[in-house]
Amino acid sequence: FSEANVKAELLSEMQTVQAGTTVSVFLKQTIREGWHTYWRNPGDSGAPTKLLWDLPPGFEAGEIQWPYPERTPYGPLMNYGYEGEVLFPVQIKIPEEFKGSEVLLEAKGQWLVCADICIPEKVEVMMSITVGPTVVDDAVSDIFYQAQAQVPVPIDVISSFQVDAGKILLTLGLPAVQG
């Protein structure tokens, strides 16, 4: 670590990509020991990581996908975030009409990193991926699989509530469990 408390880089699941496809990229944060960054809902204090993309025309970046956070108590407060290393998946759509020989992905990242004090940090991250027949990067594919598995999957739950005589009745329609 130099002066920053978080080292950041972009990684790609693919060594080469094709126009008209979607590629998974990951913002990797390596957080100084004793420090933490925050989840999309930071809890009682903090601020989530943000990525502001600067992409070629026609490219589209999806929202950050948030891995399960850790609980970080701080006095009477409860925060949610990450320590050590965290990978944030983001899907990037490459337009059909893209004709370049490489894809340049650039983003500005910002986050609040805290220990006993909190420090806002900003960084510019970039990477290029060669355009050609899609090739998975075997050296990192297990890391990407594990990172994607840490992202919660939404379930289709129908819910309703009623207030009756000062009591709240909550009804959840959970999907049937297949055995």
Side-chain angles (χ1 to χ4, degrees), residues 114-157:
C114 300
D116 291 335
I117 60 167
C118 292
I119 300 172
E121 290 185 353
K122 293 181 181 181
V123 68
E124 292 186 20
V125 289
M126 64 185 330
M127 69 173 308
S128 65
I129 308 170
T130 303
V131 175
T134 301
V135 175
V136 173
D137 188 342
D138 290 333
V140 293
S141 63
D142 286 344
I143 295 168
F144 290 116
Y145 177 77
Q146 291 171 9
Q148 197 65 54
Q150 295 298 310
V151 175
V153 178
I155 59 172
D156 190 19
V157 174

Side-chain angles (χ1 to χ4, degrees), residues 59-80:
F59 281 61
E60 295 179 29
E63 296 293 319
I64 290 176
Q65 297 174 43
W66 298 87
Y68 293 104
E70 301 169 20
R71 292 172 47 147
T72 306
Y74 187 74
L77 306 177
M78 182 59 67
N79 297 319
Y80 302 97

